[in-house]
Amino acid sequence: MDTDAVIGRLLREHGRTYADEAGIVLHDKPAPLYQLLVLTVLCSIRIRADIATAAARELFSDGLRTPSAMADSSWQQRVDALGRAHYVRYDESTATALGEGARLVLDRYRGDLRQLREEAAGDPDALRGLLREVPRIGPVGAGIFCREAQAVWPELRPFFDERSLTAAARLGLPHTPAGLARHVDPADLSRLAAALVRVSLTRGGPAAERRAAA
């Protein structure tokens, strides 16, 4: 198997980040970083990724793109936005978590997650620990955030969470972060991680993708 060819195909066919799907133009700036945090909260429960990204777009279309706007919104406004995206069963608890998380970001980081990055002092483990202080975000959610944020925070690179590494192994690809990183430009690491997650969620999963690549 040609590893570079398989990775190239993954990037072409599945290499859209979840931030991009949610309408987030990711930069190392307060608003897009907060939007990524919102998406992370939405993805941190057992719900389909397309519903989570749709919910993020609904919240953002309501103007809830900053922690100040989120904190100032009503709980019902947040519930309604989630409902329009069919983010059901978890809409009420998630609306509460989003409000509490916005207030935490405002109070502790003055609305700027770059201060969280500074507090972590370049230590990815410390950064994930700080992320887990945000309501609803646990180890999986912290991994989701880092998987996407490595596009703008180089100290996280290469970052692949457990789901993406499992998918890589099942495809016969290198299944360590360093091993995968040898086959892709650093700027594409977040896209490759997202592609591996997307393949793991498709019908048939990595096994089907491996047969097609053979």
Side-chain angles (χ1 to χ4, degrees):
M1 180 182 69
D2 186 331
T3 296
D4 289 332
V6 173
I7 288 177
R9 180 184 171 191
L10 284 169
L11 289 171
R12 287 192 306 273
E13 298 184 3
H14 306 285
R16 186 184 189 192
T17 66
Y18 287 94
D20 182 56
E21 184 177 341
I24 302 167
V25 181
L26 195 57
H27 295 290
D28 187 25
K29 296 181 179 180
L33 290 170
Y34 175 69
Q35 291 159 25
L36 178 58
L37 189 75
V38 169
L39 177 61
T40 299
V41 170
L42 296 172
C43 290
S44 292
I45 59 172
R46 291 184 177 276
I47 198 162
R48 280 172 26 203
D50 60 334
I51 292 177
T53 53
R57 291 194 301 271
E58 288 292 340
L59 289 163
F60 301 154
S61 70
D62 264 8
L64 309 185
R65 293 177 169 271
T66 66
S68 294
M70 188 71 76
D72 289 342
S73 67
S74 69
W75 177 82
Q76 190 62 55
Q77 182 183 0
R78 299 191 293 271
V79 168
D80 290 345
L82 295 172
R84 290 195 298 273
H86 307 291
Y87 194 96
V88 295
R89 293 176 53 198
Y90 305 102
D91 53 349
E92 295 186 353
S93 62
T94 300
T96 298
L98 288 169
E100 293 175 349
R103 286 186 286 274
L104 182 148
V105 173
L106 288 168
D107 294 344
R108 181 161 181 178
Y109 303 114
R110 298 182 181 179
D112 188 348
L113 289 173
R114 292 177 300 182
Q115 293 192 16
L116 178 150
R117 181 189 186 189
E118 290 178 7
E119 188 170 328
D123 183 342
D125 289 336
L127 193 147
R128 287 195 294 273
L130 293 171
L131 287 167
R132 290 174 62 181
E133 296 178 6
V134 177
R136 180 60 65 78
I137 296 180
V140 172
I144 292 170
F145 185 94
C146 293
R147 193 179 74 207
E148 301 269 329
Q150 67 181 318
V152 293
W153 288 355
E155 69 271 20
L156 294 174
R157 300 173 188 162
F159 188 91
F160 293 86
D161 57 11
E162 183 177 349
R163 183 187 288 274
S164 56
L165 291 175
T166 299
R170 292 177 63 189
L171 282 168
L173 296 172
H175 51 280
T176 64
L180 287 166
R182 284 195 289 269
H183 295 274
V184 68
D185 188 277
D188 287 329
L189 286 166
S190 59
R191 293 182 58 230
L192 177 58
L196 288 165
V197 171
R198 289 183 184 280
V199 166
S200 76
L201 297 173
T202 59
R203 187 174 182 179
E209 188 74 13
R210 182 175 60 247
R211 289 195 296 272

